[in-house]
Amino acid sequence: MDTTPHGTQVDVGIVGGGPAGLMTALLLRRRGISAAVVEARSEETIAHTQRAGILEAPTVQMLLDADIGSRVLTEGHEHTGTVLSFEGDQRRIDFQELVGRSVWLYPQNEVFRDLAAAWQREEGIIHWSVENTAVEGLDSDRPQIGFTDADGVSRTIEARVIVGADGSRSMCRKLIPEGVRTDHFTSYPFAWFGILCEAPPTAPELIYANSEVGFALISQRSDTVQRMYFQCDPDTDPESWSDDEIFDHIQRVLGGEEVVELRRGRITERTVLPFRSYVCDPLTYGRLVLAGDAGHTVPPTGAKGLNLAFSDVRALVPRLEELLGDPAARPDDDGLFDPLRRYSATALDRVWKAQNFSYWATNLLHRRPDEDSFAHLRRRGEFQAITRSAYGRGYFADSYTGWAD
Ligand code: DHB
């Protein structure tokens, strides 16, 4: 690694310091490969942005194997099952009994804190709050990330490969030429209204509920703070609902206090989360490769986003090592390097499984604005087919906890 005042040379330059970018940087370092990271947001902004809270078993294993001192086992909570509820009819899906795996409730911002602390403890190069990020020279042997750092200094990172881990509004993705890239996209006619509130947990496990007024999810954060979501119109102004209206509505979706009594408290945060499904194919071009939300976005139902980012990184790191170990490597006629093309194919296999699960679970649990009685009762049939059969529950458990392969 050679560092001049305004230019840095590393093996891998990473655009994006969220979980995908930082996990890539850390695992590369474990293999003796140098990396530098740039991130447009500040460390505090990412640490305080609420994201999903469920980690699949393979994601937890990666945090442990990376040996970064993650607090997932001490501060996270193992969930061996979850509850699906239709019009107050609650059915438990027992993950351990069905597939022998659990999930962990450990919010994504805690994952981020673990990774950022480890990277900085190991004196990894990271620039937070950068502006004017641009990637150049993708067709050359030494592509560059140019940016303005938080002190206003123009800098460059020169690398042999660039990883675009810059989130769902990725700038890197657009560097894959339109003639090479196919964008697969679908939208949904609803969004989630997410709240944080000061209350004890309503139930020991998460509850995913559907009713004639739509979807709600009761999740958790700690003994005193809870996370909840309910389906809303994408144009909803989060301030237009009073606290009581929000809790009355969620209680109604749960099926009334005789089923489960919603624990209420002061609402400290409210946000509307958009829904979309997107896949970029391929996840690479030249010396650029995408990981995490930059290459694919899932709707939040089932909390697959971070888990997919980690499965990308699992597939990517050995292929980066392979490419870097072959200085004579040349791209094929499409402009793709073989190891990165194989990464893309492996990652997209899992991405499409997760796209299917997130799409399916979203449709199972949400009400469409134009729904008639047929649609609602058909959904009731689907709910029963899933929850009253060990095969149906097994499908849900296998997908939710993260497939074995
Ligand atoms: C959470 C978010 C999800 O999308 C989900 O499926 C489960 C939990 C959460 O924020 O806790």
Side-chain angles (χ1 to χ4, degrees), residues 78-148:
E78 181 177 1
H79 283 224
T80 60
T82 196
V83 172
L84 297 187
S85 165
F86 185 89
E87 298 285 9
D89 177 14
Q90 290 198 355
R91 303 279 163 157
R92 180 166 190 264
I93 312 278
D94 186 327
F95 303 145
Q96 275 297 338
E97 172 201 69
L98 291 155
V99 294
R101 291 191 297 271
S102 298
V103 294
W104 269 260
L105 187 97
Y106 187 61
Q108 185 166 327
N109 34 351
E110 300 301 330
V111 174
F112 167 76
R113 279 179 214 264
D114 286 346
L115 296 169
W119 185 241
Q120 288 171 120
R121 204 166 44 237
E122 296 180 19
E123 297 180 1
I125 300 172
I126 184 152
H127 295 271
W128 306 104
S129 307
V130 304
E131 291 178 346
N132 308 320
T133 307
V135 174
E136 272 151 27
L138 278 181
D139 296 329
S140 76
D141 285 349
R142 303 292 305 180
Q144 292 191 347
I145 305 172
F147 62 98
T148 309

Side-chain angles (χ1 to χ4, degrees), residues 352-370:
W352 279 114
K353 274 203 296 196
Q355 287 289 1
N356 176 56
F357 178 67
S358 305
Y359 174 91
W360 170 79
T362 295
N363 285 311
L364 175 70
L365 291 163
H366 292 70
R367 183 181 171 84
R368 297 209 162 234
D370 55 356

Side-chain angles (χ1 to χ4, degrees), residues 11 27 95 143 146 148 170 175 183 199 203 218 224 240 263 267-268 275 303 339 348 365 379 382 390:
D11 296 318
L27 294 188
F95 303 145
T148 309
S170 174
L175 301 173
D183 295 303
I218 311 299
T224 52
S240 66
R263 305 300 297 267
I267 295 179
T268 55
F275 262 56
L348 289 182
L365 291 163
R379 174 172 302 111
E382 186 175 12

Side-chain angles (χ1 to χ4, degrees), residues 93-252:
I93 312 278
D94 186 327
F95 303 145
Q96 275 297 338
E97 172 201 69
L98 291 155
V99 294
R101 291 191 297 271
S102 298
V103 294
W104 269 260
L105 187 97
Y106 187 61
Q108 185 166 327
N109 34 351
E110 300 301 330
V111 174
F112 167 76
R113 279 179 214 264
D114 286 346
L115 296 169
W119 185 241
Q120 288 171 120
R121 204 166 44 237
E122 296 180 19
E123 297 180 1
I125 300 172
I126 184 152
H127 295 271
W128 306 104
S129 307
V130 304
E131 291 178 346
N132 308 320
T133 307
V135 174
E136 272 151 27
L138 278 181
D139 296 329
S140 76
D141 285 349
R142 303 292 305 180
Q144 292 191 347
I145 305 172
F147 62 98
T148 309
D149 76 10
D151 298 324
V153 179
S154 294
R155 293 182 180 276
T156 56
I157 291 171
E158 196 181 291
R160 292 177 56 204
V161 186
I162 306 291
V163 174
D166 52 342
S168 57
R169 286 188 222 102
S170 174
M171 166 275 285
C172 291
R173 176 201 300 153
K174 301 195 183 85
L175 301 173
I176 303 179
E178 287 190 5
V180 175
R181 182 181 94 213
T182 309
D183 295 303
H184 304 281
F185 180 80
T186 198
S187 60
Y188 301 82
F190 37 73
W192 276 7
F193 194 129
I195 62 163
L196 271 183
C197 66
E198 292 169 349
T202 287
E205 293 176 333
L206 269 56
I207 306 175
Y208 288 87
N210 179 266
S211 78
E212 262 183 306
V213 291
F215 169 80
L217 166 61
I218 311 299
S219 184
Q220 308 166 354
R221 285 295 177 265
S222 68
D223 290 345
T224 52
V225 175
Q226 309 311 320
R227 181 77 165 149
M228 302 176 193
Y229 304 93
F230 60 96
Q231 172 179 353
C232 68
D233 187 273
D235 298 327
T236 303
D237 169 8
E239 302 307 325
S240 66
W241 287 62
S242 72
D243 288 15
D244 280 344
E245 281 168 345
I246 290 173
F247 288 120
D248 288 350
H249 180 78
I250 297 175
Q251 179 71 68
R252 177 152 177 230

